[in-house]
Amino acid sequence: MTKSSRRTWLTAAGSALAGVAGLLLPVFGTAGAAQAAESGIHVSNGRVYEANGNEFVMRGVNHAHTWYPGETGAIADIAAKGANTVRVVLSSGDRWTETSTSQVSSIIDDCKTNKVICVLEVHDTTGYGEDGAAATLDQAADYWIGVKSAFQGQEDYVVVNIGNEPYGNSGYTAWTGATQSAIGKLRNAGIENALMVDAPNWGQDWSNTMRTNAASVFAADPRRNTIFSIHMYGVYDTAAEVQDYLNHFVSNGLPIVVGEFGDNHSDGNPDENAIMATARSLRVGYLGWSWSGNGSGVEYLDMVTGFDAGSLTTWGNRFFNGADGISATSTRATVYGGGDTGGTAPNGYPYCVNGTASDPDGDGWGWENSRSCVVRGSAADTGSGGGSTGGTAPNGYPYCANGSASDPDGDGWGWENSRSCVVRGSAADR
Protein backbone atom coordinates (compact mmCIF):
# COMPACT_ATOMS: atom_id res chain seq x y z
CA MET A 1 0.00 0.00 0.00
CA THR A 2 1.22 3.45 -0.80
CA LYS A 3 0.19 7.06 -1.01
CA SER A 4 0.21 9.25 -4.09
CA SER A 5 -1.57 11.31 -6.66
CA ARG A 6 -3.82 9.42 -9.10
CA ARG A 7 -1.00 8.61 -11.50
CA THR A 8 1.99 8.80 -9.16
CA TRP A 9 1.89 6.07 -6.57
CA LEU A 10 4.58 6.63 -3.91
CA THR A 11 5.35 4.32 -1.03
CA ALA A 12 5.72 5.34 2.60
CA ALA A 13 8.00 2.94 4.43
CA GLY A 14 9.30 1.92 7.82
CA SER A 15 7.77 3.84 10.66
CA ALA A 16 5.86 5.95 8.13
CA LEU A 17 3.86 2.90 6.93
CA ALA A 18 1.56 3.65 4.20
CA GLY A 19 1.51 -0.11 3.91
CA VAL A 20 0.44 0.77 1.32
CA ALA A 21 -7.17 -6.72 -24.55
CA GLY A 22 -4.51 -9.29 -24.32
CA LEU A 23 -3.23 -12.58 -25.61
CA LEU A 24 -6.62 -14.24 -25.65
CA LEU A 25 -5.89 -17.33 -27.71
CA PRO A 26 -4.49 -19.43 -24.86
CA VAL A 27 -7.05 -18.04 -22.44
CA PHE A 28 -10.62 -18.70 -23.47
CA GLY A 29 -11.91 -21.88 -21.91
CA THR A 30 -8.45 -23.25 -21.17
CA ALA A 31 -6.70 -21.08 -18.63
CA GLY A 32 -5.56 -23.35 -15.85
CA ALA A 33 -7.58 -26.33 -17.02
CA ALA A 34 -5.49 -29.05 -18.61
CA GLN A 35 -2.18 -28.42 -16.89
CA ALA A 36 -3.25 -26.92 -13.59
CA ALA A 37 -1.64 -28.11 -10.41
CA GLU A 38 -4.14 -30.26 -8.58
CA SER A 39 -2.51 -30.48 -5.18
CA GLY A 40 -2.67 -27.81 -2.53
CA ILE A 41 -4.23 -24.44 -3.35
CA HIS A 42 -4.45 -24.37 -7.12
CA VAL A 43 -5.99 -22.67 -10.11
CA SER A 44 -8.45 -24.34 -12.45
CA ASN A 45 -10.51 -22.63 -15.15
CA GLY A 46 -9.74 -19.22 -13.73
CA ARG A 47 -10.81 -20.05 -10.18
CA VAL A 48 -8.90 -20.85 -7.01
CA TYR A 49 -9.48 -24.25 -5.42
CA GLU A 50 -8.27 -26.28 -2.51
CA ALA A 51 -6.71 -29.71 -3.00
CA ASN A 52 -10.08 -31.39 -2.42
CA GLY A 53 -11.67 -29.45 -5.29
CA ASN A 54 -13.59 -26.99 -3.11
CA GLU A 55 -13.57 -23.49 -4.52
CA PHE A 56 -11.81 -21.05 -2.20
CA VAL A 57 -12.64 -17.34 -2.28
CA MET A 58 -10.18 -15.24 -0.29
CA ARG A 59 -11.70 -12.88 2.25
CA GLY A 60 -8.84 -11.43 4.19
CA VAL A 61 -6.73 -8.69 5.68
CA ASN A 62 -3.21 -7.38 5.12
CA HIS A 63 -0.92 -7.39 8.16
CA ALA A 64 2.35 -5.40 8.22
CA HIS A 65 4.43 -8.00 10.04
CA THR A 66 7.84 -6.82 8.85
CA TRP A 67 7.44 -3.42 10.52
CA TYR A 68 5.64 -4.76 13.57
CA PRO A 69 7.16 -8.19 14.30
CA GLY A 70 6.22 -7.84 17.96
CA GLU A 71 2.49 -7.83 17.18
CA THR A 72 2.31 -11.60 17.39
CA GLY A 73 -1.40 -11.67 18.19
CA ALA A 74 -2.48 -9.95 14.99
CA ILE A 75 -3.17 -13.08 12.94
CA ALA A 76 -5.29 -14.58 15.72
CA ASP A 77 -7.20 -11.33 16.06
CA ILE A 78 -7.84 -11.10 12.32
CA ALA A 79 -9.01 -14.71 12.22
CA ALA A 80 -11.36 -14.06 15.16
CA LYS A 81 -13.06 -11.36 13.07
CA GLY A 82 -13.94 -13.98 10.48
CA ALA A 83 -11.26 -13.55 7.81
CA ASN A 84 -10.23 -16.73 6.02
CA THR A 85 -6.93 -15.33 4.70
CA VAL A 86 -4.13 -13.09 5.98
CA ARG A 87 -1.67 -11.45 3.58
CA VAL A 88 1.51 -11.00 5.58
CA VAL A 89 4.15 -8.37 4.75
CA LEU A 90 7.67 -9.85 4.79
CA SER A 91 11.06 -8.41 3.85
CA SER A 92 13.77 -9.96 1.69
CA GLY A 93 16.40 -7.92 3.52
CA ASP A 94 17.06 -5.67 0.53
CA ARG A 95 15.23 -2.75 2.09
CA TRP A 96 14.11 -3.74 5.58
CA THR A 97 15.26 -6.38 8.07
CA GLU A 98 15.10 -9.80 6.43
CA THR A 99 12.33 -12.14 7.58
CA SER A 100 14.24 -15.31 8.39
CA THR A 101 13.30 -18.87 7.54
CA SER A 102 12.41 -19.55 11.16
CA GLN A 103 10.22 -16.46 11.26
CA VAL A 104 8.43 -17.53 8.09
CA SER A 105 7.83 -20.95 9.64
CA SER A 106 6.43 -19.32 12.76
CA ILE A 107 4.07 -17.14 10.71
CA ILE A 108 2.80 -20.17 8.82
CA ASP A 109 2.27 -22.05 12.08
CA ASP A 110 0.34 -19.06 13.39
CA CYS A 111 -1.87 -19.05 10.28
CA LYS A 112 -2.54 -22.76 10.62
CA THR A 113 -3.27 -22.53 14.33
CA ASN A 114 -5.81 -19.82 13.62
CA LYS A 115 -7.24 -21.57 10.56
CA VAL A 116 -6.49 -18.97 7.91
CA ILE A 117 -4.69 -19.26 4.60
CA CYS A 118 -1.33 -17.44 4.51
CA VAL A 119 -0.49 -15.20 1.55
CA LEU A 120 3.16 -14.28 2.09
CA GLU A 121 4.54 -11.28 0.20
CA VAL A 122 7.92 -9.58 -0.14
CA HIS A 123 7.44 -5.81 0.22
CA ASP A 124 10.94 -4.68 -0.80
CA THR A 125 10.00 -4.64 -4.51
CA THR A 126 7.44 -1.84 -4.04
CA GLY A 127 7.72 0.77 -6.80
CA TYR A 128 10.84 -0.57 -8.53
CA GLY A 129 11.89 1.66 -11.42
CA GLU A 130 10.55 4.77 -9.70
CA ASP A 131 11.69 4.21 -6.13
CA GLY A 132 15.47 3.84 -6.11
CA ALA A 133 15.42 1.84 -2.87
CA ALA A 134 13.20 -0.92 -4.28
CA ALA A 135 14.44 -4.42 -5.03
CA THR A 136 13.86 -6.35 -8.25
CA LEU A 137 11.55 -9.32 -8.71
CA ASP A 138 14.67 -11.39 -9.36
CA GLN A 139 15.99 -10.45 -5.91
CA ALA A 140 12.64 -11.35 -4.42
CA ALA A 141 12.78 -14.74 -6.13
CA ASP A 142 16.23 -15.32 -4.62
CA TYR A 143 14.76 -14.63 -1.19
CA TRP A 144 11.93 -17.12 -1.66
CA ILE A 145 14.39 -19.77 -2.76
CA GLY A 146 16.48 -19.08 0.31
CA VAL A 147 13.57 -19.61 2.70
CA LYS A 148 11.68 -22.26 0.73
CA SER A 149 12.15 -24.93 3.40
CA ALA A 150 9.61 -22.99 5.49
CA PHE A 151 6.77 -23.39 3.01
CA GLN A 152 7.57 -26.44 0.93
CA GLY A 153 5.07 -29.08 1.92
CA GLN A 154 2.66 -26.34 3.03
CA GLU A 155 0.93 -26.01 -0.35
CA ASP A 156 -2.50 -26.49 1.25
CA TYR A 157 -1.97 -23.43 3.43
CA VAL A 158 0.47 -21.00 1.76
CA VAL A 159 0.37 -18.80 -1.35
CA VAL A 160 3.63 -17.07 -2.34
CA ASN A 161 3.04 -13.47 -3.46
CA ILE A 162 6.36 -12.90 -5.23
CA GLY A 163 6.70 -9.14 -4.76
CA ASN A 164 4.50 -6.25 -3.68
CA GLU A 165 3.67 -3.61 -6.35
CA PRO A 166 6.84 -4.50 -8.24
CA TYR A 167 6.96 -1.48 -10.56
CA GLY A 168 6.06 2.15 -10.11
CA ASN A 169 5.21 4.47 -12.98
CA SER A 170 8.63 4.27 -14.63
CA GLY A 171 9.92 1.26 -16.52
CA TYR A 172 6.73 -0.69 -15.92
CA THR A 173 6.73 -2.15 -19.44
CA ALA A 174 9.41 -4.53 -18.13
CA TRP A 175 6.85 -6.05 -15.73
CA THR A 176 5.84 -8.88 -18.07
CA GLY A 177 9.31 -10.27 -18.71
CA ALA A 178 10.47 -9.79 -15.13
CA THR A 179 7.38 -11.54 -13.77
CA GLN A 180 7.73 -14.45 -16.18
CA SER A 181 11.39 -14.83 -15.25
CA ALA A 182 10.66 -14.78 -11.52
CA ILE A 183 7.97 -17.43 -11.91
CA GLY A 184 10.33 -19.64 -13.90
CA LYS A 185 13.08 -19.22 -11.34
CA LEU A 186 10.81 -20.29 -8.48
CA ARG A 187 9.45 -23.30 -10.37
CA ASN A 188 12.95 -24.40 -11.39
CA ALA A 189 13.87 -24.27 -7.69
CA GLY A 190 11.14 -26.79 -6.90
CA ILE A 191 8.62 -24.37 -5.38
CA GLU A 192 5.15 -25.81 -6.03
CA ASN A 193 2.96 -23.43 -4.03
CA ALA A 194 0.37 -21.30 -5.77
CA LEU A 195 2.02 -18.04 -6.77
CA MET A 196 0.52 -14.56 -6.71
CA VAL A 197 1.80 -11.66 -8.81
CA ASP A 198 1.01 -7.99 -8.20
CA ALA A 199 0.32 -5.48 -10.94
CA PRO A 200 2.73 -2.65 -11.83
CA ASN A 201 1.94 1.08 -11.50
CA TRP A 202 2.16 0.78 -7.72
CA GLY A 203 -0.21 -2.17 -7.95
CA GLN A 204 -3.03 -0.32 -9.74
CA ASP A 205 -2.25 -1.22 -13.37
CA TRP A 206 -3.69 2.00 -14.78
CA SER A 207 -1.60 1.26 -17.90
CA ASN A 208 -3.31 -2.15 -18.26
CA THR A 209 0.09 -3.79 -18.50
CA MET A 210 -0.94 -6.76 -16.34
CA ARG A 211 -4.39 -6.92 -17.89
CA THR A 212 -2.97 -7.07 -21.42
CA ASN A 213 -0.20 -9.55 -20.66
CA ALA A 214 -1.80 -11.76 -18.01
CA ALA A 215 -2.40 -14.64 -20.41
CA SER A 216 1.25 -14.87 -21.42
CA VAL A 217 2.37 -14.61 -17.79
CA PHE A 218 -0.03 -17.37 -16.78
CA ALA A 219 1.22 -19.57 -19.62
CA ALA A 220 4.82 -19.02 -18.47
CA ASP A 221 4.07 -20.93 -15.26
CA PRO A 222 4.62 -24.63 -16.04
CA ARG A 223 2.20 -25.49 -13.22
CA ARG A 224 -0.45 -23.05 -14.50
CA ASN A 225 -0.84 -21.98 -10.88
CA THR A 226 -0.43 -18.21 -10.78
CA ILE A 227 -3.02 -15.80 -9.36
CA PHE A 228 -3.11 -12.13 -10.41
CA SER A 229 -3.48 -9.37 -7.82
CA ILE A 230 -4.77 -5.86 -8.48
CA HIS A 231 -4.56 -3.12 -5.83
CA MET A 232 -7.54 -0.77 -5.91
CA TYR A 233 -7.14 2.73 -4.55
CA GLY A 234 -7.78 6.08 -6.23
CA VAL A 235 -7.61 4.74 -9.78
CA TYR A 236 -10.74 2.71 -9.00
CA ASP A 237 -13.06 5.44 -7.84
CA THR A 238 -16.11 4.38 -9.88
CA ALA A 239 -18.10 1.17 -10.04
CA ALA A 240 -17.62 1.06 -13.81
CA GLU A 241 -13.82 0.96 -13.47
CA VAL A 242 -13.95 -1.75 -10.82
CA GLN A 243 -16.38 -3.89 -12.77
CA ASP A 244 -14.56 -3.50 -16.07
CA TYR A 245 -11.22 -4.58 -14.66
CA LEU A 246 -12.42 -7.58 -12.67
CA ASN A 247 -14.87 -8.74 -15.33
CA HIS A 248 -12.08 -8.81 -17.91
CA PHE A 249 -10.14 -11.40 -15.93
CA VAL A 250 -13.17 -13.48 -15.00
CA SER A 251 -14.56 -13.56 -18.52
CA ASN A 252 -11.16 -14.56 -19.90
CA GLY A 253 -10.69 -17.39 -17.43
CA LEU A 254 -7.81 -15.80 -15.52
CA PRO A 255 -7.65 -15.88 -11.70
CA ILE A 256 -7.78 -12.47 -10.06
CA VAL A 257 -7.96 -11.13 -6.49
CA VAL A 258 -8.10 -7.61 -5.12
CA GLY A 259 -4.90 -7.86 -3.11
CA GLU A 260 -5.26 -4.45 -1.46
CA PHE A 261 -7.94 -1.77 -1.22
CA GLY A 262 -9.26 0.78 1.25
CA ASP A 263 -12.18 3.14 1.73
CA ASN A 264 -10.16 6.29 1.12
CA HIS A 265 -6.75 7.33 -0.11
CA SER A 266 -4.55 10.30 -0.81
CA ASP A 267 -4.66 9.63 -4.57
CA GLY A 268 -8.47 9.58 -4.71
CA ASN A 269 -11.49 7.98 -3.12
CA PRO A 270 -11.77 4.29 -4.09
CA ASP A 271 -15.27 2.89 -4.40
CA GLU A 272 -15.01 0.26 -1.68
CA ASN A 273 -18.70 -0.56 -1.97
CA ALA A 274 -18.31 -1.43 -5.64
CA ILE A 275 -15.10 -3.35 -4.97
CA MET A 276 -16.72 -5.54 -2.33
CA ALA A 277 -20.03 -5.98 -4.15
CA THR A 278 -18.36 -6.82 -7.46
CA ALA A 279 -15.96 -9.24 -5.80
CA ARG A 280 -18.88 -10.98 -4.17
CA SER A 281 -20.94 -11.24 -7.35
CA LEU A 282 -17.98 -12.54 -9.36
CA ARG A 283 -16.70 -14.85 -6.58
CA VAL A 284 -13.38 -12.96 -6.61
CA GLY A 285 -11.21 -12.76 -3.52
CA TYR A 286 -10.34 -9.55 -1.72
CA LEU A 287 -7.79 -8.58 0.94
CA GLY A 288 -8.30 -5.24 2.66
CA TRP A 289 -5.47 -2.91 3.66
CA SER A 290 -4.72 -3.11 6.54
CA TRP A 291 -5.09 -4.37 10.10
CA SER A 292 -3.14 -1.61 11.90
CA GLY A 293 0.05 0.45 11.92
CA ASN A 294 -0.44 2.82 8.99
CA GLY A 295 1.18 6.23 9.23
CA SER A 296 2.30 9.24 7.22
CA GLY A 297 -1.19 10.61 6.82
CA VAL A 298 -3.05 7.43 5.92
CA GLU A 299 -3.84 6.27 9.43
CA TYR A 300 -7.48 6.12 8.33
CA LEU A 301 -6.62 2.83 6.60
CA ASP A 302 -6.17 1.12 9.98
CA MET A 303 -8.99 -1.36 10.59
CA VAL A 304 -8.32 -1.31 14.32
CA THR A 305 -6.62 1.33 16.44
CA GLY A 306 -3.23 0.42 17.89
CA PHE A 307 -3.54 -3.29 17.07
CA ASP A 308 -6.44 -3.48 19.54
CA ALA A 309 -8.96 -5.97 18.15
CA GLY A 310 -11.66 -4.44 20.32
CA SER A 311 -11.23 -0.99 18.77
CA LEU A 312 -12.62 -1.15 15.25
CA THR A 313 -12.25 2.01 13.18
CA THR A 314 -14.91 3.25 10.79
CA TRP A 315 -13.09 1.47 7.95
CA GLY A 316 -12.69 -1.69 10.00
CA ASN A 317 -16.36 -1.80 10.92
CA ARG A 318 -17.32 -1.28 7.29
CA PHE A 319 -14.94 -4.00 6.13
CA PHE A 320 -15.91 -6.64 8.67
CA ASN A 321 -19.56 -5.91 9.36
CA GLY A 322 -20.87 -3.97 6.36
CA ALA A 323 -22.53 -5.10 3.15
CA ASP A 324 -20.51 -7.75 1.28
CA GLY A 325 -18.00 -7.69 4.13
CA ILE A 326 -16.15 -10.42 5.97
CA SER A 327 -19.00 -11.41 8.28
CA ALA A 328 -21.40 -11.84 5.37
CA THR A 329 -19.12 -13.50 2.81
CA SER A 330 -16.10 -15.22 4.38
CA THR A 331 -16.03 -19.03 4.48
CA ARG A 332 -13.20 -20.88 6.18
CA ALA A 333 -10.95 -23.07 4.02
CA THR A 334 -12.11 -26.68 4.09
CA VAL A 335 -8.57 -27.82 4.93
CA TYR A 336 -9.48 -26.49 8.38
CA GLY A 337 -12.91 -28.08 8.38
CA GLY A 338 -14.39 -25.00 6.75
CA GLY A 339 -17.68 -24.37 5.03
CA ASP A 340 -20.81 -24.15 7.08
CA THR A 341 -21.13 -26.81 9.76
CA GLY A 342 -24.80 -27.31 8.99
CA GLY A 343 -27.96 -26.14 10.62
CA THR A 344 -31.14 -24.53 9.41
CA ALA A 345 -31.82 -20.90 8.60
CA PRO A 346 -34.76 -19.15 10.31
CA ASN A 347 -36.77 -19.53 7.09
CA GLY A 348 -36.51 -23.31 7.33
CA TYR A 349 -33.99 -23.91 4.56
CA PRO A 350 -30.60 -25.51 5.30
CA TYR A 351 -27.46 -23.40 5.34
CA CYS A 352 -25.17 -23.86 2.32
CA VAL A 353 -22.19 -26.05 3.22
CA ASN A 354 -20.04 -24.30 0.64
CA GLY A 355 -21.14 -20.77 1.56
CA THR A 356 -20.95 -18.16 -1.19
CA ALA A 357 -19.49 -20.67 -3.66
CA SER A 358 -23.02 -22.08 -3.95
CA ASP A 359 -24.51 -18.65 -4.69
CA PRO A 360 -23.14 -17.35 -8.03
CA ASP A 361 -25.61 -14.46 -8.33
CA GLY A 362 -25.02 -13.23 -4.78
CA ASP A 363 -28.65 -13.11 -3.66
CA GLY A 364 -28.07 -15.30 -0.62
CA TRP A 365 -29.72 -18.38 -2.13
CA GLY A 366 -27.55 -21.31 -3.18
CA TRP A 367 -28.15 -24.77 -4.61
CA GLU A 368 -26.68 -27.93 -3.05
CA ASN A 369 -27.76 -31.57 -2.97
CA SER A 370 -30.59 -30.85 -5.40
CA ARG A 371 -32.29 -28.28 -3.21
CA SER A 372 -32.10 -24.61 -2.24
CA CYS A 373 -29.89 -23.51 0.64
CA VAL A 374 -29.20 -20.21 2.40
CA VAL A 375 -25.79 -18.56 2.64
CA ARG A 376 -25.19 -17.81 6.30
CA GLY A 377 -25.17 -14.05 6.99
CA SER A 378 -26.60 -13.18 3.56
CA ALA A 379 -29.70 -11.19 2.67
CA ALA A 380 -31.64 -14.46 2.56
CA ASP A 381 -30.57 -15.32 6.12
CA THR A 382 -33.45 -13.43 7.64
CA GLY A 383 -32.20 -13.87 11.19
CA SER A 384 -28.93 -12.05 10.58
CA GLY A 385 -30.22 -8.51 10.68
CA GLY A 386 -31.69 -6.63 13.62
CA GLY A 387 -32.61 -9.72 15.58
CA SER A 388 -32.57 -13.50 15.44
CA THR A 389 -35.67 -15.64 15.37
CA GLY A 390 -33.96 -18.05 17.73
CA GLY A 391 -32.08 -21.26 17.19
CA THR A 392 -28.66 -22.51 18.07
CA ALA A 393 -25.36 -21.75 16.38
CA PRO A 394 -23.16 -24.64 15.17
CA ASN A 395 -20.94 -24.14 18.25
CA GLY A 396 -23.88 -24.92 20.55
CA TYR A 397 -24.57 -21.40 21.84
CA PRO A 398 -27.94 -19.72 21.21
CA TYR A 399 -28.25 -16.95 18.67
CA CYS A 400 -28.63 -13.45 20.12
CA ALA A 401 -32.24 -12.34 19.95
CA ASN A 402 -31.09 -8.74 19.60
CA GLY A 403 -28.40 -9.44 17.02
CA SER A 404 -25.40 -7.11 16.97
CA ALA A 405 -26.98 -4.88 19.61
CA SER A 406 -25.90 -7.50 22.15
CA ASP A 407 -22.30 -7.40 20.89
CA PRO A 408 -20.75 -3.98 21.64
CA ASP A 409 -17.17 -5.00 20.84
CA GLY A 410 -18.07 -6.55 17.49
CA ASP A 411 -16.43 -9.95 18.01
CA GLY A 412 -19.60 -11.93 17.33
CA TRP A 413 -20.25 -12.83 20.95
CA GLY A 414 -23.11 -11.18 22.82
CA TRP A 415 -24.63 -11.46 26.31
CA GLU A 416 -28.34 -12.06 26.89
CA ASN A 417 -30.36 -13.71 29.63
CA SER A 418 -27.24 -14.11 31.78
CA ARG A 419 -25.36 -16.20 29.23
CA SER A 420 -23.28 -15.85 26.09
CA CYS A 421 -24.96 -15.80 22.70
CA VAL A 422 -23.76 -15.70 19.08
CA VAL A 423 -24.60 -12.96 16.59
CA ARG A 424 -25.94 -14.74 13.52
CA GLY A 425 -23.58 -14.41 10.54
CA SER A 426 -20.68 -13.08 12.64
CA ALA A 427 -17.14 -14.38 13.03
CA ALA A 428 -18.30 -16.44 16.03
CA ASP A 429 -21.03 -18.13 13.99
CA ARG A 430 -19.01 -21.20 13.12
Side-chain angles (χ1 to χ4, degrees), residues 133-148:
T136 65
L137 282 172
D138 189 64
Q139 288 172 297
D142 286 339
Y143 168 76
W144 291 120
I145 293 168
V147 299
K148 68 180 181 179

Side-chain angles (χ1 to χ4, degrees), residues 15 68 115 120 237 246:
S15 62
Y68 297 100
K115 300 182 179 181
L120 304 177
D237 55 3
L246 296 180

Side-chain angles (χ1 to χ4, degrees), residues 145-236:
I145 293 168
V147 299
K148 68 180 181 179
S149 62
F151 54 83
Q152 283 184 316
Q154 304 294 328
E155 290 81 8
D156 285 348
Y157 310 96
V158 177
V159 175
V160 174
N161 190 170
I162 301 176
N164 183 69
E165 301 178 1
Y167 281 85
N169 295 326
S170 300
Y172 57 83
T173 57
W175 176 90
T176 303
T179 302
Q180 291 171 330
S181 295
I183 290 169
K185 191 170 190 175
L186 296 181
R187 295 305 188 210
N188 288 337
I191 293 172
E192 298 184 353
N193 302 70
L195 302 177
M196 185 178 288
V197 294
D198 282 9
N201 308 130
W202 302 94
Q204 296 203 81
D205 200 28
W206 55 258
S207 64
N208 283 333
T209 299
M210 184 172 81
R211 173 173 166 157
T212 301
N213 295 286
S216 64
V217 170
F218 188 86
D221 181 356
R223 295 185 62 79
R224 303 298 191 269
N225 201 19
T226 296
I227 303 163
F228 297 92
S229 173
I230 181 68
H231 294 183
M232 289 186 164
Y233 293 104
V235 172
Y236 298 91

Side-chain angles (χ1 to χ4, degrees), residues 68-82:
Y68 297 100
E71 296 295 342
T72 56
I75 291 176
D77 289 338
I78 292 168
K81 294 293 185 188

Side-chain angles (χ1 to χ4, degrees), residues 340-352 371-376 380-383 388-394 399 424 429:
D340 199 285
T341 55
T344 303
N347 59 16
Y349 284 86
Y351 283 118
C352 301
R371 69 168 296 183
S372 294
C373 58
V374 172
V375 176
R376 190 181 294 276
D381 188 4
T382 54
S388 173
T389 58
T392 303
Y399 284 118
R424 191 183 295 275
D429 191 8

Side-chain angles (χ1 to χ4, degrees), residues 348-373:
Y349 284 86
Y351 283 118
C352 301
V353 172
N354 293 313
T356 56
S358 300
D359 176 26
D361 62 358
D363 66 353
W365 289 95
W367 185 261
E368 293 177 352
N369 300 319
S370 301
R371 69 168 296 183
S372 294
C373 58

Side-chain angles (χ1 to χ4, degrees), residues 41 48-52 54-59 82-85 111-112 114-118 156-158 330-340 353-354 430:
I41 297 170
V48 178
Y49 292 89
E50 296 184 69
N52 65 1
N54 187 73
E55 185 176 352
F56 181 67
V57 180
M58 294 183 188
R59 289 286 181 264
N84 64 21
T85 305
C111 284
K112 292 169 69 174
N114 291 287
K115 300 182 179 181
V116 293
I117 297 302
C118 256
D156 285 348
Y157 310 96
V158 177
S330 179
T331 300
R332 181 181 293 166
T334 58
V335 71
Y336 298 121
D340 199 285
V353 172
N354 293 313
R430 293 287 187 267

